[in-house]
Amino acid sequence: MRLGAKMVPFAGWLMPVQYTSIVEEHLAVRNNVGVFDISHMGQFIVHGADARDWLNSMLTNNVDKLDVGTGQYTFLLNDHGGIIDDLIAYRIDEQKYLLVVNAARADEDFAWLQNRLKEGRSPGRPSGGLETAVSCTLSSCSADFGAVAIQGPHTMALFHALFGKDIKPPARNHIVDVPLDTTSVSVARTGYTGEDGIEVFFSAKDAVKFWSAVLEQGKTFGIKACGLGARDTLRLEMCYPLNGSDLSPERNPIEAGLGFFVDLAKPEFVGRDALLNTKEFGPREKLVPFRMKEKGPPPRPHYAVFGNGERIGEVTSGTLSPSLNWGIGMAYVSSAHAKIGAEIDIEIRAQKFPATVEKKPLYRKPAS
């Protein structure tokens, strides 16, 4: 199955918050293996002679560095450098790219990219002052795909159980087509949990069949179906940001501590000037991970953060970590208070509870 091929539309379903319990599902991923239905994610195909150059002008990371079969984490920004979406861009052929975007942003992303494509100028082509159509196409195939994320230390054992012991899994951040029965699926070595894992894309008509096969083959490895709750606690332990909470059009990647995924050496991309300004003068606030110092109610989004009695920011994500059994979170705080080890207070139900700014990630696997 080549990504971008025409497939039967599928209504899909929304990922539930939990199937059993958030803690059980979370610990299954940390210790064994879990499967997430990510069919709600959006998938776009950009195809054509100018696809690479046009995407490089739209996204923050350097698309030039992608070989066929590789992917990279990147951002789609507005003109002010704010984050419209974070996504993964895969190069799946010489002139074809797959963008996997967040479900809640898919329509907005597509409209924004489509408008830019219509306004675009073919990279490297002098137009004599006249606009020239970019030689590539943008299409959404979100309704055509089903997808699952298989995550956890037993992922590779399950991969071989599903696809055969002689099938080689992709390397980290690579994507390959793998034969399965009379068709094939696309397997990417990516994930959102901090564990080894894969994300598998397949024809929507095969979604229920593949989901069932994963659960059946995974019984030997202690698999659990996992929902949004476990996804959130797992990603937060790793300090992976969530679009709509930690990332928004009012925040840029440098403020979010994700400048590694921005290539300011590129001569042009949307939002570059704003990021150069932030880089030169420094962000007013930074996104930091924190850990509570006392047992108590867990931190939640929008709780106020204080430093030396003064309000210095706001929590964007917070939970009770199932792996650490401790309250953790992320917050935007003034840059002066963003140093690792800084003492802060989180206001929870009109009471202040002490916390410490920590180094990423908050969870580290025990030494074996």
Side-chain angles (χ1 to χ4, degrees):
M1 178 198 71
R2 293 303 300 176
L3 286 165
K6 183 62 179 174
M7 286 176 256
V8 178
F10 171 64
W13 58 86
L14 294 177
M15 189 192 299
V17 173
Q18 62 196 74
Y19 291 88
T20 52
S21 84
I22 292 173
V23 172
E24 284 182 21
E25 294 166 19
H26 177 110
L27 294 177
V29 173
R30 287 280 179 251
N31 300 319
N32 298 309
V33 66
V35 58
F36 300 80
D37 170 24
I38 57 169
S39 299
H40 58 289
M41 300 292 284
Q43 293 95 22
F44 307 153
I45 296 291
V46 181
H47 187 202
D50 288 338
R52 182 187 65 180
D53 291 336
W54 181 72
L55 279 176
N56 228 9
S57 70
M58 295 295 107
L59 304 174
T60 61
N61 214 331
N62 195 337
V63 179
D64 282 344
K65 295 180 178 179
L66 288 179
D67 296 323
V68 174
T70 64
Q72 61 183 202
Y73 181 71
T74 187
F75 296 99
L76 183 67
L77 305 182
N78 59 32
D79 292 321
H80 305 292
I83 298 168
I84 298 173
D85 203 359
D86 62 328
L87 60 135
I88 298 181
Y90 297 100
R91 187 178 183 183
I92 56 174
D93 213 332
E94 287 295 335
Q95 297 182 355
K96 185 181 288 188
Y97 294 81
L98 168 70
L99 309 183
V100 180
V101 305
N102 284 294
R105 300 289 191 190
D107 291 343
E108 180 184 353
D109 291 357
F110 189 81
W112 191 93
L113 286 167
Q114 191 173 49
N115 288 337
R116 291 283 175 162
L117 187 60
K118 289 177 180 177
E119 297 169 359
R121 184 190 304 271
S122 294
R125 295 185 191 174
S127 65
L130 298 174
E131 292 297 323
T132 306
V134 175
S135 182
C136 65
T137 60
L138 169 71
S139 58
S140 175
C141 50
S142 304
D144 300 335
F145 286 111
V148 301
I150 302 171
Q151 305 282 299
H154 294 331
T155 295
M156 287 303 103
L158 180 52
F159 173 92
H160 290 298
L162 286 165
F163 301 114
K165 63 180 182 179
D166 297 327
I167 300 296
K168 185 178 179 181
R172 182 69 181 167
N173 293 324
H174 283 58
I175 187 168
V176 297
D177 285 337
V178 176
L180 181 67
D181 297 331
T182 59
T183 183
S184 67
V185 300
S186 295
V187 181
R189 192 79 169 268
T190 46
Y192 193 47
T193 65
E195 299 295 334
D196 191 13
I198 56 175
E199 295 180 327
V200 187
F201 304 90
F202 39 79
S203 175
K205 64 183 176 59
D206 296 326
V208 174
K209 179 181 177 182
F210 189 78
W211 174 263
S212 299
V214 171
L215 288 175
E216 181 62 30
Q217 293 291 336
K219 286 179 180 178
T220 305
F221 310 108
I223 197 169
K224 281 192 175 293
C226 301
L228 285 168
R231 184 200 68 164
D232 196 53
T233 55
L234 288 159
R235 67 92 191 170
L236 188 48
E237 288 182 348
M238 301 307 298
C239 304
Y240 295 158
L242 177 64
N243 195 288
S245 296
D246 312 300
L247 308 178
S248 74
E250 289 72 46
R251 301 289 185 180
N252 70 45
I254 295 175
E255 292 171 322
L258 298 167
F260 181 79
F261 304 102
V262 176
D263 188 351
L264 289 172
K266 292 196 302 182
E268 181 184 3
F269 63 86
V270 176
R272 180 176 180 271
D273 290 345
L275 297 191
L276 282 172
N277 186 69
T278 302
K279 187 79 170 178
E280 181 179 357
F281 295 102
R284 185 176 62 85
E285 292 185 329
K286 293 181 181 179
L287 183 66
V288 298
F290 66 85
R291 174 171 166 154
M292 305 304 294
K293 295 182 69 175
E294 299 174 354
K295 296 291 186 180
R300 298 297 185 198
H302 308 301
Y303 286 178
V305 181
F306 289 82
N308 299 321
E310 175 187 359
R311 179 167 177 153
I312 58 168
E314 184 175 284
V315 175
T316 54
S317 292
T319 192
L320 176 65
S321 161
S323 300
L324 304 172
N325 195 28
W326 215 270
I328 62 170
M330 292 198 289
Y332 280 100
V333 302
S334 60
S335 294
H337 295 84
K339 298 178 179 62
I340 295 171
E343 303 287 332
I344 58 175
D345 292 302
I346 311 298
E347 187 175 66
I348 304 175
R349 301 171 193 162
Q351 288 185 275
K352 293 185 177 67
F353 292 84
T356 307
V357 174
E358 299 283 340
K359 183 180 179 180
K360 299 178 184 178
L362 291 163
Y363 168 79
R364 292 177 174 81
K365 291 190 78 67
S368 55

